[in-house]
Amino acid sequence: MERTTNFNAGPAALPLEVLQKAQKEFIDFNESGMSVMELSHRSKEYEAVHQKAKSLLIELMGIPAEDYDILFLQGGASLQFSMLPMNFLTPEKTAHFVMTGAWSEKALAETKLFGNTSVTATSEADNYSFIPEVDLSDVKDGAYLHITSNNTIFGTQWQEFPNSPIPLVADMSSDILSRKIDVSKFDVIYGGAQKNLGPSGVTVVIMKKTWLQSENANVPKILKYSTHVKADSLYNTPPTFAIYMLSLVLEWLKENGGVDAVEQRNEQKAQVLYSCIDESNGFYKGHARKDSRSRMNVTFTLRDDELTKTFVQEAKAAKMIGLGGHRSVGGCRASIYNAVSLEDCEKLAAFMKKFQQENE
Ligand code: PMP
């Protein structure tokens, strides 16, 4: 069977080895005579999966485990947009936002329902084509500063994170574990698993223990971070299969050299596609400003909608899918998360060059 080359933005490509391992274990997990999906979330077999996922995440991301809690929640990154202000915004403080795209807008809109917000910096006027400079003196005394580390739709990515004087909160849905980061700069890192970490259904939240102490009291129990911390993400039934898949993806990442190696591969992969754009004499136009380019989502436009449609159709015929851009940018987007290989990107670049020759 020939696998389709998957450039979907999320849910996205998973490593073939991971899918094969899950297939092998599917109906009999660890000689339990059951699928992992059929195990009780209170069983010792499942407990081992849960702890493995956590410890691999700590190891691979270099999380200072004594200072941070790791949670596996549901509701996607979207629920975090609400849980964060519900738990950590107080009437006397302001939540500050750096606006870098549609997902920052959604996070801001939810936060407004709970309290005071302020936009510290934005690139909205330029259709979010770059990561704006942040004047940190503006955020003194705020409740927290929220950023989106990688902008899935616009194809921009923070290259360096600010040294925020107030708690720094990052939506890392689309670049978590794709590069080395200094976790200690952040009070909260969150992201849905369905791009770099596994299938949809589980959201990873990494939260500084000291910050948890300032949690608001009057929040429904299931929406409180402390509830999930106390119960080690087993307050209610967790998405056991998604967490199992997450543990397999983390194991795969470790076997393939960890974050250092994947960061290098991701840089090479992005380079292959950006070179193709830059050397196309304007046939392909990159959306992101060069200094803000994402190594996860490569966005570009073509001459017109008709040519874009033909590009996407012909790519699909060549077994490459997921290349249509989001309507707010138009054009095309290649999402090249950890499980997309260098060869996949080279195949796309070769297709792009051929398509240009045929349609210039
Ligand atoms: N933030 C970012 C940066 C995203 O890319 C997405 C999903 N594409 C979300 C948040 C929303 O995530 P979810 O669907 O898990 O709620």
Side-chain angles (χ1 to χ4, degrees):
M1 170 211 161
E2 192 196 340
R3 295 254 306 155
T4 300
T5 309
N6 184 350
F7 295 104
N8 275 332
L14 284 164
L16 180 60
E17 297 92 319
V18 165
L19 296 173
Q20 284 167 333
K21 178 146 195 221
Q23 182 183 44
K24 202 161 143 246
E25 299 182 331
F26 195 62
I27 57 170
D28 184 11
F29 176 71
N30 257 349
E31 297 176 0
S32 64
M34 283 181 270
S35 170
V36 75
M37 280 191 281
E38 299 172 288
L39 296 173
S40 162
H41 62 295
R42 309 277 176 209
S43 65
K44 69 173 188 332
E45 290 93 341
Y46 175 72
E47 179 64 21
V49 171
H50 201 83
Q51 296 312 326
K52 185 168 110 185
K54 252 174 84 172
S55 59
L56 281 169
L57 201 62
I58 290 169
E59 183 184 338
L60 288 163
M61 287 185 73
I63 302 170
E66 59 292 355
D67 299 331
Y68 286 81
D69 289 305
I70 290 138
L71 301 173
F72 300 137
L73 305 181
Q74 298 183 68
S78 301
L79 183 59
Q80 295 308 305
F81 297 163
S82 329
M83 268 175 81
L84 283 161
M86 230 184 258
N87 284 281
F88 296 112
L89 192 53
T90 48
E92 59 284 358
K93 290 212 167 165
T94 297
H96 294 271
F97 281 77
V98 182
M99 304 305 290
T100 52
W103 296 110
S104 322
E105 283 177 7
K106 291 208 165 114
L108 173 64
E110 286 302 294
T111 310
K112 281 184 177 165
L113 299 173
F114 295 97
N116 297 323
T117 58
S118 163
V119 169
T120 306
T122 177
S123 54
E124 187 188 3
D126 293 282
N127 203 18
Y128 295 121
S129 58
F130 64 94
I131 304 293
E133 291 281 325
V134 183
D135 184 353
L136 290 170
S137 61
D138 289 345
V139 305
K140 272 203 292 287
D141 306 326
Y144 55 88
L145 173 65
H146 183 282
I147 64 169
T148 315
S149 60
N150 182 76
N151 299 283
T152 325
I153 293 175
F154 294 91
T156 61
Q157 187 174 28
W158 286 75
Q159 314 295 316
E160 242 180 87
F161 295 112
N163 288 315
S164 174
I166 58 173
L168 182 62
V169 174
D171 174 1
M172 284 197 191
S173 292
S174 52
D175 68 350
I176 190 164
L177 266 180
S178 68
R179 56 173 166 168
K180 284 186 295 278
I181 58 153
D182 177 0
V183 173
S184 69
K185 276 193 158 185
F186 301 87
D187 277 58
V188 183
I189 292 171
Y190 67 93
Q194 64 271 22
K195 300 169 203 296
N196 269 331
L197 300 179
S200 59
V202 59
T203 310
V204 170
V205 178
I206 300 160
M207 180 170 284
K208 209 176 230 174
K209 288 180 199 276
T210 48
W211 204 38
L212 190 67
Q213 288 157 14
S214 60
E215 185 184 72
N216 291 332
N218 214 3
V219 175
K221 198 162 178 191
I222 195 158
L223 297 175
K224 271 186 160 171
Y225 291 100
S226 57
T227 302
H228 300 288
V229 167
K230 274 184 220 141
D232 197 9
S233 305
L234 286 155
Y235 166 69
N236 65 325
T237 319
T240 51
F241 191 70
I243 295 169
Y244 159 73
M245 289 298 290
L246 166 68
S247 76
L248 295 188
V249 171
L250 295 175
E251 209 170 56
W252 169 85
L253 190 63
K254 187 175 167 180
E255 279 161 12
N256 285 278
V259 177
D260 285 337
V262 88
E263 176 172 18
Q264 267 184 25
R265 286 200 293 278
N266 287 336
E267 261 165 34
Q268 277 179 312
K269 281 153 54 186
Q271 192 52 42
V272 166
L273 296 181
Y274 286 122
S275 301
C276 182
I277 291 169
D278 293 341
E279 289 159 14
S280 72
N281 291 321
F283 184 80
Y284 301 109
K285 287 198 176 65
H287 176 72
R289 209 169 74 183
K290 284 189 183 172
D291 62 6
S292 301
R293 281 175 162 175
S294 166
R295 285 167 227 98
M296 295 278 101
N297 310 95
V298 178
T299 47
F300 55 95
T301 53
L302 288 88
R303 197 165 55 226
D304 54 41
D305 288 349
E306 204 179 323
L307 193 62
T308 307
K309 215 168 126 195
T310 313
F311 180 94
V312 172
Q313 272 167 359
E314 288 188 14
K316 194 169 174 194
K319 282 220 148 229
M320 287 180 281
I321 64 110
L323 290 165
H326 191 273
R327 63 191 173 280
S328 42
V329 180
C332 295
R333 167 177 57 177
S335 297
I336 52 171
Y337 302 120
N338 288 354
V340 175
S341 67
L342 179 61
E343 293 71 38
D344 294 336
C345 294
E346 282 165 347
K347 179 178 167 192
L348 176 58
F351 170 83
M352 286 170 74
K353 284 179 189 142
K354 185 161 164 283
F355 186 84
Q356 180 178 354
Q357 279 162 11
E358 290 166 358
N359 293 279
E360 223 160 2

PDB file of all heavy atoms in Angstrom, residues 167-184:
ATOM      1  N   PRO A 167       3.815  36.399  34.418  1.00  0.00           N
ATOM      2  CA  PRO A 167       3.748  35.018  33.922  1.00  0.00           C
ATOM      3  C   PRO A 167       3.515  34.957  32.404  1.00  0.00           C
ATOM      4  O   PRO A 167       2.648  35.655  31.866  1.00  0.00           O
ATOM      5  CB  PRO A 167       2.556  34.441  34.694  1.00  0.00           C
ATOM      6  CG  PRO A 167       2.552  35.204  35.980  1.00  0.00           C
ATOM      7  CD  PRO A 167       2.961  36.598  35.601  1.00  0.00           C
ATOM      8  N   LEU A 168       4.331  34.140  31.758  1.00  0.00           N
ATOM      9  CA  LEU A 168       4.229  33.989  30.304  1.00  0.00           C
ATOM     10  C   LEU A 168       3.459  32.708  29.999  1.00  0.00           C
ATOM     11  O   LEU A 168       3.791  31.628  30.505  1.00  0.00           O
ATOM     12  CB  LEU A 168       5.643  33.924  29.706  1.00  0.00           C
ATOM     13  CG  LEU A 168       5.748  33.823  28.189  1.00  0.00           C
ATOM     14  CD1 LEU A 168       5.136  35.046  27.490  1.00  0.00           C
ATOM     15  CD2 LEU A 168       7.215  33.685  27.753  1.00  0.00           C
ATOM     16  N   VAL A 169       2.418  32.852  29.189  1.00  0.00           N
ATOM     17  CA  VAL A 169       1.535  31.727  28.838  1.00  0.00           C
ATOM     18  C   VAL A 169       1.619  31.532  27.334  1.00  0.00           C
ATOM     19  O   VAL A 169       1.447  32.494  26.579  1.00  0.00           O
ATOM     20  CB  VAL A 169       0.077  32.072  29.239  1.00  0.00           C
ATOM     21  CG1 VAL A 169      -0.882  30.999  28.754  1.00  0.00           C
ATOM     22  CG2 VAL A 169      -0.038  32.261  30.742  1.00  0.00           C
ATOM     23  N   ALA A 170       1.895  30.306  26.904  1.00  0.00           N
ATOM     24  CA  ALA A 170       2.035  30.101  25.458  1.00  0.00           C
ATOM     25  C   ALA A 170       1.142  28.985  24.939  1.00  0.00           C
ATOM     26  O   ALA A 170       1.151  27.874  25.483  1.00  0.00           O
ATOM     27  CB  ALA A 170       3.486  29.800  25.114  1.00  0.00           C
ATOM     28  N   ASP A 171       0.398  29.322  23.907  1.00  0.00           N
ATOM     29  CA  ASP A 171      -0.308  28.305  23.132  1.00  0.00           C
ATOM     30  C   ASP A 171       0.724  27.732  22.163  1.00  0.00           C
ATOM     31  O   ASP A 171       1.130  28.393  21.216  1.00  0.00           O
ATOM     32  CB  ASP A 171      -1.473  28.971  22.382  1.00  0.00           C
ATOM     33  CG  ASP A 171      -2.177  28.015  21.421  1.00  0.00           C
ATOM     34  OD1 ASP A 171      -1.778  26.840  21.341  1.00  0.00           O
ATOM     35  OD2 ASP A 171      -3.126  28.464  20.748  1.00  0.00           O
ATOM     36  N   MET A 172       1.179  26.508  22.432  1.00  0.00           N
ATOM     37  CA  MET A 172       2.194  25.869  21.567  1.00  0.00           C
ATOM     38  C   MET A 172       1.590  24.743  20.754  1.00  0.00           C
ATOM     39  O   MET A 172       2.279  23.783  20.380  1.00  0.00           O
ATOM     40  CB  MET A 172       3.353  25.325  22.405  1.00  0.00           C
ATOM     41  CG  MET A 172       4.290  26.399  22.881  1.00  0.00           C
ATOM     42  SD  MET A 172       5.863  25.712  23.436  1.00  0.00           S
ATOM     43  CE  MET A 172       6.551  27.176  24.217  1.00  0.00           C
ATOM     44  N   SER A 173       0.285  24.850  20.476  1.00  0.00           N
ATOM     45  CA  SER A 173      -0.413  23.757  19.787  1.00  0.00           C
ATOM     46  C   SER A 173       0.317  23.275  18.539  1.00  0.00           C
ATOM     47  O   SER A 173       0.351  22.086  18.276  1.00  0.00           O
ATOM     48  CB  SER A 173      -1.816  24.203  19.369  1.00  0.00           C
ATOM     49  OG  SER A 173      -2.624  24.390  20.496  1.00  0.00           O
ATOM     50  N   SER A 174       0.872  24.216  17.771  1.00  0.00           N
ATOM     51  CA  SER A 174       1.406  23.767  16.489  1.00  0.00           C
ATOM     52  C   SER A 174       2.929  23.751  16.413  1.00  0.00           C
ATOM     53  O   SER A 174       3.472  23.549  15.323  1.00  0.00           O
ATOM     54  CB  SER A 174       0.789  24.553  15.325  1.00  0.00           C
ATOM     55  OG  SER A 174       0.894  25.928  15.530  1.00  0.00           O
ATOM     56  N   ASP A 175       3.624  23.914  17.548  1.00  0.00           N
ATOM     57  CA  ASP A 175       5.075  23.666  17.460  1.00  0.00           C
ATOM     58  C   ASP A 175       5.685  23.035  18.711  1.00  0.00           C
ATOM     59  O   ASP A 175       6.917  22.952  18.825  1.00  0.00           O
ATOM     60  CB  ASP A 175       5.864  24.908  17.020  1.00  0.00           C
ATOM     61  CG  ASP A 175       5.877  26.024  18.052  1.00  0.00           C
ATOM     62  OD1 ASP A 175       5.125  25.941  19.043  1.00  0.00           O
ATOM     63  OD2 ASP A 175       6.655  26.979  17.854  1.00  0.00           O
ATOM     64  N   ILE A 176       4.835  22.549  19.595  1.00  0.00           N
ATOM     65  CA  ILE A 176       5.365  21.901  20.794  1.00  0.00           C
ATOM     66  C   ILE A 176       6.244  20.711  20.378  1.00  0.00           C
ATOM     67  O   ILE A 176       5.919  19.980  19.433  1.00  0.00           O
ATOM     68  CB  ILE A 176       4.213  21.476  21.738  1.00  0.00           C
ATOM     69  CG1 ILE A 176       4.756  21.029  23.096  1.00  0.00           C
ATOM     70  CG2 ILE A 176       3.311  20.412  21.114  1.00  0.00           C
ATOM     71  CD1 ILE A 176       3.694  20.969  24.190  1.00  0.00           C
ATOM     72  N   LEU A 177       7.378  20.575  21.026  1.00  0.00           N
ATOM     73  CA  LEU A 177       8.345  19.492  20.772  1.00  0.00           C
ATOM     74  C   LEU A 177       8.922  19.470  19.357  1.00  0.00           C
ATOM     75  O   LEU A 177       9.420  18.449  18.901  1.00  0.00           O
ATOM     76  CB  LEU A 177       7.726  18.127  21.091  1.00  0.00           C
ATOM     77  CG  LEU A 177       7.996  17.617  22.506  1.00  0.00           C
ATOM     78  CD1 LEU A 177       7.332  16.248  22.703  1.00  0.00           C
ATOM     79  CD2 LEU A 177       9.486  17.472  22.791  1.00  0.00           C
ATOM     80  N   SER A 178       8.853  20.601  18.675  1.00  0.00           N
ATOM     81  CA  SER A 178       9.457  20.644  17.340  1.00  0.00           C
ATOM     82  C   SER A 178      10.833  21.289  17.398  1.00  0.00           C
ATOM     83  O   SER A 178      11.574  21.276  16.428  1.00  0.00           O
ATOM     84  CB  SER A 178       8.572  21.453  16.388  1.00  0.00           C
ATOM     85  OG  SER A 178       8.578  22.817  16.761  1.00  0.00           O
ATOM     86  N   ARG A 179      11.159  21.890  18.570  1.00  0.00           N
ATOM     87  CA  ARG A 179      12.438  22.583  18.730  1.00  0.00           C
ATOM     88  C   ARG A 179      12.721  22.691  20.223  1.00  0.00           C
ATOM     89  O   ARG A 179      11.814  22.561  21.045  1.00  0.00           O
ATOM     90  CB  ARG A 179      12.375  23.979  18.105  1.00  0.00           C
ATOM     91  CG  ARG A 179      11.234  24.823  18.672  1.00  0.00           C
ATOM     92  CD  ARG A 179      11.284  26.245  18.180  1.00  0.00           C
ATOM     93  NE  ARG A 179      10.042  26.977  18.446  1.00  0.00           N
ATOM     94  CZ  ARG A 179       9.912  28.275  18.322  1.00  0.00           C
ATOM     95  NH1 ARG A 179      10.931  29.009  17.913  1.00  0.00           N
ATOM     96  NH2 ARG A 179       8.769  28.885  18.574  1.00  0.00           N
ATOM     97  N   LYS A 180      13.990  22.981  20.519  1.00  0.00           N
ATOM     98  CA  LYS A 180      14.374  23.121  21.930  1.00  0.00           C
ATOM     99  C   LYS A 180      13.754  24.407  22.472  1.00  0.00           C
ATOM    100  O   LYS A 180      13.814  25.441  21.814  1.00  0.00           O
ATOM    101  CB  LYS A 180      15.891  23.264  22.055  1.00  0.00           C
ATOM    102  CG  LYS A 180      16.638  21.966  21.873  1.00  0.00           C
ATOM    103  CD  LYS A 180      18.123  22.168  22.164  1.00  0.00           C
ATOM    104  CE  LYS A 180      18.816  23.086  21.203  1.00  0.00           C
ATOM    105  NZ  LYS A 180      19.281  22.651  19.957  1.00  0.00           N
ATOM    106  N   ILE A 181      13.195  24.332  23.644  1.00  0.00           N
ATOM    107  CA  ILE A 181      12.759  25.571  24.300  1.00  0.00           C
ATOM    108  C   ILE A 181      13.178  25.523  25.768  1.00  0.00           C
ATOM    109  O   ILE A 181      13.377  24.440  26.320  1.00  0.00           O
ATOM    110  CB  ILE A 181      11.232  25.795  24.210  1.00  0.00           C
ATOM    111  CG1 ILE A 181      10.467  24.622  24.827  1.00  0.00           C
ATOM    112  CG2 ILE A 181      10.755  26.089  22.812  1.00  0.00           C
ATOM    113  CD1 ILE A 181       9.126  25.045  25.346  1.00  0.00           C
ATOM    114  N   ASP A 182      13.269  26.698  26.353  1.00  0.00           N
ATOM    115  CA  ASP A 182      13.585  26.784  27.776  1.00  0.00           C
ATOM    116  C   ASP A 182      12.253  26.876  28.521  1.00  0.00           C
ATOM    117  O   ASP A 182      11.645  27.948  28.608  1.00  0.00           O
ATOM    118  CB  ASP A 182      14.458  28.033  27.999  1.00  0.00           C
ATOM    119  CG  ASP A 182      14.784  28.241  29.464  1.00  0.00           C
ATOM    120  OD1 ASP A 182      14.333  27.422  30.310  1.00  0.00           O
ATOM    121  OD2 ASP A 182      15.468  29.238  29.772  1.00  0.00           O
ATOM    122  N   VAL A 183      11.803  25.740  29.022  1.00  0.00           N
ATOM    123  CA  VAL A 183      10.479  25.672  29.667  1.00  0.00           C
ATOM    124  C   VAL A 183      10.394  26.651  30.833  1.00  0.00           C
ATOM    125  O   VAL A 183       9.331  27.220  31.105  1.00  0.00           O
ATOM    126  CB  VAL A 183      10.186  24.213  30.137  1.00  0.00           C
ATOM    127  CG1 VAL A 183       8.907  24.135  30.949  1.00  0.00           C
ATOM    128  CG2 VAL A 183      10.110  23.274  28.934  1.00  0.00           C
ATOM    129  N   SER A 184      11.525  26.890  31.501  1.00  0.00           N
ATOM    130  CA  SER A 184      11.481  27.711  32.716  1.00  0.00           C
ATOM    131  C   SER A 184      11.088  29.169  32.437  1.00  0.00           C
ATOM    132  O   SER A 184      10.783  29.920  33.348  1.00  0.00           O
ATOM    133  CB  SER A 184      12.821  27.644  33.457  1.00  0.00           C
ATOM    134  OG  SER A 184      13.799  28.316  32.709  1.00  0.00           O
TER     135      SER A 184
END
